[in-house]
Amino acid sequence: ICAKRINQMFKDNPKDRPIIIALTANAMKEDEKKCLNAGMDAYIAKPFNIEKLRKMLILIERDKKKVKL
């Protein structure tokens, strides 16, 4: 619900919307789908490391630049 609200808040200026990444102990594929369908940009299951998070943020930022918002 929170991700949808954040997306709604930035609907007029989506480039300013913060990146939303789900961090969960559940590593099931359906959990990832639920998070992405809820409006999150990505999904990381625990345990994770900072390098994985850094790479994910870089990929998301690149994708945002490719998409004309």
Side-chain angles (χ1 to χ4, degrees), residues 3 6-7 14 17-22 32 34-44 56-57 59-61 63-64 69:
I6 292 169
N7 288 328
R17 184 180 67 76
I19 294 171
I20 304 170
I21 299 176
E32 181 178 6
K34 285 179 187 177
C35 292
L36 298 176
N37 288 338
M40 298 180 196
D41 297 299
Y43 169 95
I44 298 179
M56 184 173 286
L57 289 169
L59 290 172
I60 292 168
E61 191 61 33
D63 284 346
K64 278 183 152 184
L69 301 172

Side-chain angles (χ1 to χ4, degrees), residues 1-64:
I1 294 173
C2 292
K4 288 185 180 188
R5 286 185 183 172
I6 292 169
N7 288 328
Q8 184 67 25
M9 287 171 46
F10 288 92
K11 71 178 181 177
D12 294 334
N13 204 355
K15 289 183 180 182
D16 291 337
R17 184 180 67 76
I19 294 171
I20 304 170
I21 299 176
L23 174 61
T24 181
N26 297 328
M28 298 173 69
K29 198 67 177 169
E30 41 293 342
D31 292 322
E32 181 178 6
K33 280 185 177 182
K34 285 179 187 177
C35 292
L36 298 176
N37 288 338
M40 298 180 196
D41 297 299
Y43 169 95
I44 298 179
K46 294 180 195 176
F48 77 99
N49 61 47
I50 296 299
E51 185 60 22
K52 183 176 181 180
L53 177 61
R54 187 186 74 78
K55 287 178 180 179
M56 184 173 286
L57 289 169
I58 289 169
L59 290 172
I60 292 168
E61 191 61 33
R62 284 183 190 159
D63 284 346
K64 278 183 152 184

